[in-house]
């Protein structure tokens, strides 16, 4: 989001559309369509992305909300206004909806004194690294008309001995009814917490001191922050000591495969790693111990393990319905760390100045989400959380937690 209103004389919406068309010529998989093939002989279905010219295109929405200002969006207490849902395309749209919806949607919302640009995309075609690479390219083309851009890096990655296309039991693709979805929808609320470079240095030092000095126990700032958030959330979850709790982390496998893929390789090469302990274990031990569990889990995401998981999944396909935790709408037993502070958010200048803030796409179905962005100050991190309401209320009254964070605009 930028707090400078573009000059109308520049026809900035037209510029955005024109530059978007150029960017999509490079990132053409975003313009494809998801196609389902029904295999009647064994009651399975298969999917592929059709990028033929006549089927191509992304969704572009231009909206105006001239009664709202940047200060309405960036609340002093870090809360996220309900109207923000209307600033995003594809709120609660699922991957399977790619059969009827474009794989990429973008929305430009003009406010009284700023512009908010948002996106929604299908994870069958890309992950966070790929969408931000596209976004960086789009802004560069829009800003300076650059045409000296590298072609998209695509590389097929297929398992040996697997028949393609993969056949998925038709029963796995049946979407829940609206009433079923509503019954599982948690009472959640969003908030944005800001962790300064000083906050993060403190958490990293604390975690490493508690974990010990062994070389295989070095804890990064990101893992220390994740452990701190995991313990803080679960401390107020109301779960019993015997129940299991999970910290789920999206791990980029590009450089972990053998041979590795290029860092810029387009696609979805993410695995959801899970660290699991009992509530009692998590709260009885210090933050450094929790960070070690996350560290061990991330280190265990190897080429061999990734291939084993993929082969097992193909043999017994199960569609992940949600990255959240318990199916009960009032239980918060997990946190899911997504996105990355390494993604270039604040370098996206479309021609009217760099962004001043970032916000995650709202979701009413993913409680426990911890969406990480780089902060506007160097070395800082913003965390956009979606937590059960009763957990967030207690977290906001937790002096120990509040000592390490700043409510951010």
């Amino acid at each position: 989001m930028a707090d400078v209103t573009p000059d109308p004389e520049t026809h900035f919406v037209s510029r955005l559309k024109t530059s978007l068309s150029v960017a999509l010529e490079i990132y053409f998989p975003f313009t494809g369509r998801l196609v389902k093939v029904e295999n009647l002989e064994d009651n399975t279905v298969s999917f592929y992305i059709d990028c033929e010219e006549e089927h191509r295109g992304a969704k572009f929405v231009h909206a105006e909300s001239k009664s709202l200002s940047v200060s309405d969006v960036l609340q002093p207490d870090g809360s996220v206004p309900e109207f923000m849902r209307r600033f995003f395309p594809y709120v609660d749209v699922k991957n399977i909806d790619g059969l009827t919806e474009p794989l990429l949607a973008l929305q430009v919302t003009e406010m009284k004194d700023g512009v908010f640009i948002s996106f929604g995309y299908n994870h069958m075609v890309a992950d966070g690294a790929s969408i931000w690479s596209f976004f960086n390219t789009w802004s560069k083309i829009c800003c300076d008309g650059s045409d000296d851009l590298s072609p998209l890096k695509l590389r097929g990655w297929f398992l040996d001995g697997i028949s393609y296309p993969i056949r998925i039991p038709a029963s796995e693709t049946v979407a829940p009814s609206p009433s079923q979805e509503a019954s599982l929808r948690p009472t959640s609320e969003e908030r944005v917490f800001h962790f300064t470079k000083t906050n993060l240095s403190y958490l990293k030092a604390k975690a490493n001191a508690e974990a010990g000095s062994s070389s295989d126990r070095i804890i990064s700032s990101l893992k220390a922050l994740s452990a701190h958030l995991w313990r803080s959330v679960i401390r107020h979850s109301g779960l019993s000591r015997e129940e299991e709790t999970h910290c789920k982390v999206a791990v980029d496998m590009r450089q972990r495969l053998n041979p590795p893929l290029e860092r810029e390789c387009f696609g979805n090469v993410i695995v959801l790693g899970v660290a699991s302990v009992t509530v009692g274990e998590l709260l009885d031990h210090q933050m450094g111990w929790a960070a070690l569990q996350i560290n061990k889990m991330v280190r265990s995401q190897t080429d061999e393990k990734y291939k084993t998981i993929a082969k097992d999944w193909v043999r017994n396909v199960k569609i992940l319905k949600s990255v959240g935790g318990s199916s009960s709408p009032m239980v918060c037993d997990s946190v899911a760390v997504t996105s990355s502070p390494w993604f270039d958010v604040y370098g996206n200048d479309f021609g009217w100045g760099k962004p001043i803030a970032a916000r995650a796409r709202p979701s009413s179905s993913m409680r426990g989400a911890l969406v990480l962005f780089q902060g506007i100050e160097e070395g800082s991190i913003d965390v956009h959380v979606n937590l059960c309401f009763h957990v967030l209320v207690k977290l906001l009254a937790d002096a120990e937690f509040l000592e390490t964070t700043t409510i951010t605009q």
Side-chain angles (χ1 to χ4, degrees):
M1 179 173 63
D3 65 345
V4 177
T5 304
D7 184 350
E9 296 300 319
T10 63
H11 306 288
F12 81 97
V13 174
S14 295
R15 281 178 55 197
L16 285 170
K17 288 183 177 180
T18 300
S19 56
L20 175 60
S21 295
V22 176
L24 288 174
E25 286 297 319
I26 301 171
Y27 290 82
F28 65 89
F30 278 131
T31 68
R33 292 292 183 273
L34 187 65
V35 178
K36 179 170 73 172
V37 177
E38 296 185 355
N39 308 307
L40 299 179
E41 66 274 16
D42 60 0
N43 195 30
T44 64
V45 296
S46 300
F47 296 91
Y48 68 93
I49 295 173
D50 183 0
C51 292
E52 293 297 325
E53 190 69 34
E54 63 269 24
H55 298 142
R56 292 175 61 184
K59 184 177 182 178
F60 183 92
V61 178
H62 174 215
E64 292 187 350
S65 188
K66 294 300 183 68
S67 63
L68 293 173
S69 65
V70 170
S71 61
D72 294 315
V73 174
L74 304 182
Q75 295 290 315
D77 62 355
S79 59
V80 181
E82 178 63 26
F83 67 73
M84 286 299 295
R85 296 179 66 83
R86 298 195 292 274
F87 279 42
F88 287 82
Y90 286 0
V91 174
D92 289 336
V93 171
K94 299 175 176 58
N95 286 333
I96 192 66
D97 295 327
L99 294 169
T100 56
E101 298 282 354
L103 301 179
L104 173 67
L106 302 124
Q107 181 170 327
V108 178
T109 304
E110 291 186 68
M111 294 176 289
K112 183 165 42 178
D113 55 358
V115 175
F116 192 92
I117 301 180
S118 61
F119 57 78
Y121 66 101
N122 196 304
H123 281 277
M124 287 193 185
V125 70
D127 57 19
S130 290
I131 188 66
W132 279 109
S133 176
F134 157 76
F135 209 76
N136 299 155
T137 299
W138 178 28
S139 66
K140 183 174 179 59
I141 294 171
C142 187
C143 183
D144 57 23
S146 175
D147 57 4
D148 183 22
L149 299 165
S150 302
L152 192 65
K153 292 188 177 180
L154 288 169
R155 178 177 164 188
W157 187 85
F158 299 98
L159 291 168
D160 295 332
I162 301 297
S163 298
Y164 295 95
I166 296 171
R167 294 184 172 230
I168 302 172
S171 59
E172 280 295 310
T173 65
V174 176
S177 67
S179 60
Q180 288 176 313
E181 285 193 333
S183 67
L184 295 177
R185 190 165 292 160
T187 304
S188 62
E189 189 168 328
E190 299 174 71
R191 212 75 163 199
V192 178
F193 295 105
H194 181 67
F195 293 84
T196 65
K197 186 176 182 178
T198 301
N199 294 148
L200 296 171
S201 295
Y202 165 75
L203 291 173
K204 178 180 178 180
K206 185 174 188 292
N208 279 286
E210 293 172 352
S213 58
S214 175
S215 60
D216 65 343
R217 294 188 172 194
I218 298 175
I219 307 299
S220 67
S221 298
L222 185 55
K223 294 185 181 72
L225 175 61
S226 299
H228 176 57
L229 291 166
W230 185 18
R231 293 184 77 250
S232 299
V233 169
I234 297 304
R235 186 161 59 240
H236 302 299
S237 65
L239 297 171
S240 67
R241 291 176 52 82
E242 296 74 26
E243 292 182 81
E244 199 168 61
T245 176
H246 318 278
C247 181
K248 305 176 182 182
V249 180
V251 181
D252 187 339
M253 294 297 295
R254 286 172 177 80
Q255 294 288 296
R256 296 170 180 269
L257 297 176
N258 185 22
L261 299 175
E262 298 93 331
R263 292 184 186 277
E264 302 79 16
C265 187
F266 182 88
N268 189 334
V269 200
I270 291 295
V271 66
L272 191 67
V274 183
S276 300
V277 299
T278 66
V279 172
E281 288 173 327
L282 183 66
L283 300 184
D284 287 347
H285 289 89
Q286 296 175 307
M287 181 186 66
W289 182 86
L292 270 181
Q293 310 315 304
I294 297 173
N295 203 34
K296 291 174 185 176
M297 177 272 293
V298 172
R299 288 165 63 94
S300 74
Q301 306 307 314
T302 61
D303 175 79
E304 181 180 2
K305 183 176 181 178
Y306 189 60
K307 289 176 179 175
T308 299
I309 291 172
K311 288 177 180 177
D312 290 344
W313 183 83
V314 171
R315 296 189 187 101
N316 184 26
V317 176
K318 295 293 182 183
I319 303 298
L320 182 66
K321 306 301 181 184
S322 170
V323 298
S326 168
S327 60
S328 170
M330 292 304 292
V331 175
C332 291
D333 62 356
S334 302
V335 295
V337 182
T338 65
S339 191
S340 169
W342 305 120
F343 296 154
D344 183 9
V345 173
Y346 291 99
N348 292 292
D349 185 347
F350 285 87
W352 56 81
K354 293 187 177 182
I356 61 166
R359 291 292 182 266
R361 180 174 66 95
S363 174
S364 60
S365 60
M366 188 177 163
R367 65 191 176 281
L370 310 175
V371 185
L372 275 55
F373 294 111
Q374 61 178 203
I376 196 165
E377 304 99 3
E378 183 180 356
S380 65
I381 294 178
D382 287 339
V383 184
H384 187 137
V385 308
N386 185 329
L387 299 173
C388 292
F389 180 75
H390 69 281
V391 174
L392 183 58
V393 168
K394 293 178 181 178
L395 193 63
L396 290 170
D398 184 338
E400 179 183 346
F401 174 75
L402 295 178
E403 283 179 358
T404 62
T405 185
T406 304
I407 298 295
T408 180
Q409 291 191 11

